[in-house]
Amino acid sequence: MSVNDSIIKRPVPESQKGLQATLTKGSLSGHKQKIGLQLKADLENLTNLRPDGDDFRWYIRLRCSNCSEETKEFQYISLAENAPLKGGRGHASLVLKCKLCGRENSIDIMRDSIQPYNDEDNGRFKTVVAFDCRGVEPIDFSARAGFAADGVDSGTPFTDIAFNEGDDDWSEYDTKSNCPVGVFSIEHKFISMKK
């Protein structure tokens, strides 16, 4: 991933037009907003689904709030990596320059916002992380590798939970409890949050 990756213009799919209206409404004042990533899944005999460690990679696609250009590829951000902001104003998980409008944009993971998805959350959307967005907003998420969870009854740790591209299911067997475990039908959405 390069800080200089271009932001490519893409038409907004019909399924995302309502989401676009929700997210861009707050982005007009100063182009700073707090966006939450919500997950919904069906956990089978598992709880505490979470990113495993500071090096966990959140794969997201982004849209420039200034000119509406979108990244072509997924970019990743993690707590373990950051880049300096222009003018020495601090650091962010990802800093990138829009090649269309030239604006420097950044997105930062809000460490204290990270929450596990638990068995009692089954079938409901829950905010699992929030991003501090300046001039850019996430528009898509790809669940990939690096998740961990625990067996509901056994407490057995399951690490290296990974979703193949295009696959929203993962399954394994808990030998302590003699039962199958899994994460099924994982979905996501972004919400605008109060600052």
Side-chain angles (χ1 to χ4, degrees):
M1 177 184 63
S2 166
V3 174
N4 293 321
D5 284 341
S6 65
I7 296 185
I8 307 297
K9 188 170 189 166
R10 298 259 185 240
V12 178
E14 285 297 317
S15 63
Q16 290 184 356
K17 285 196 175 179
L19 178 63
Q20 178 191 20
T22 302
L23 294 179
T24 57
K25 181 179 177 186
S27 65
L28 297 175
S29 60
H31 297 286
K32 179 181 177 185
Q33 56 186 332
K34 183 177 168 185
I35 302 290
L37 170 62
Q38 293 191 330
L39 294 183
K40 178 171 107 171
D42 293 320
L43 304 183
E44 180 180 11
N45 300 314
L46 284 177
T47 193
N48 198 24
L49 178 68
R50 65 200 179 274
D52 194 14
D54 283 355
D55 60 345
F56 177 85
R57 293 180 174 184
W58 301 93
Y59 285 89
I60 54 178
R61 285 188 50 239
L62 303 166
R63 176 184 301 127
C64 178
S65 299
N66 189 51
C67 66
S68 298
E69 296 299 300
E70 298 178 3
T71 56
K72 180 179 177 182
E73 304 294 327
F74 282 95
Q75 309 289 313
Y76 76 82
I77 57 176
S78 77
L79 289 170
E81 298 177 24
N82 63 55
L85 294 169
K86 187 176 176 181
R89 298 175 295 151
H91 291 81
S93 301
L94 176 65
V95 178
L96 60 125
K97 184 176 182 178
C98 177
K99 287 193 176 180
L100 183 69
C101 70
R103 169 168 258 154
E104 181 181 90
N105 301 316
S106 66
I107 184 167
D108 200 31
I109 301 166
M110 300 178 74
R111 180 183 292 272
D112 295 339
S113 72
I114 298 173
Q115 298 293 317
Y117 192 89
N118 295 307
D119 58 326
E120 63 265 13
D121 302 316
N122 265 351
R124 296 183 310 181
F125 279 103
K126 178 182 179 181
T127 303
V128 294
V129 65
F131 304 111
D132 182 17
C133 304
R134 295 174 187 255
V136 72
E137 59 191 80
I139 56 169
D140 199 4
F141 168 71
S142 177
R144 298 190 182 179
F147 286 94
D150 303 314
V152 169
D153 296 324
S154 66
T156 302
F158 292 90
T159 57
D160 296 324
I161 295 174
F163 301 93
N164 296 322
E165 194 167 333
D167 193 5
D168 57 0
D169 297 337
W170 172 88
S171 60
E172 188 62 65
Y173 194 80
D174 187 341
T175 55
K176 274 188 184 176
S177 292
N178 292 322
C179 65
V181 295
V183 180
F184 303 100
S185 305
I186 194 165
E187 297 177 40
H188 74 277
K189 70 179 179 180
F190 293 100
I191 61 163
S192 184
M193 302 175 74
K194 293 182 180 181
K195 295 178 184 171

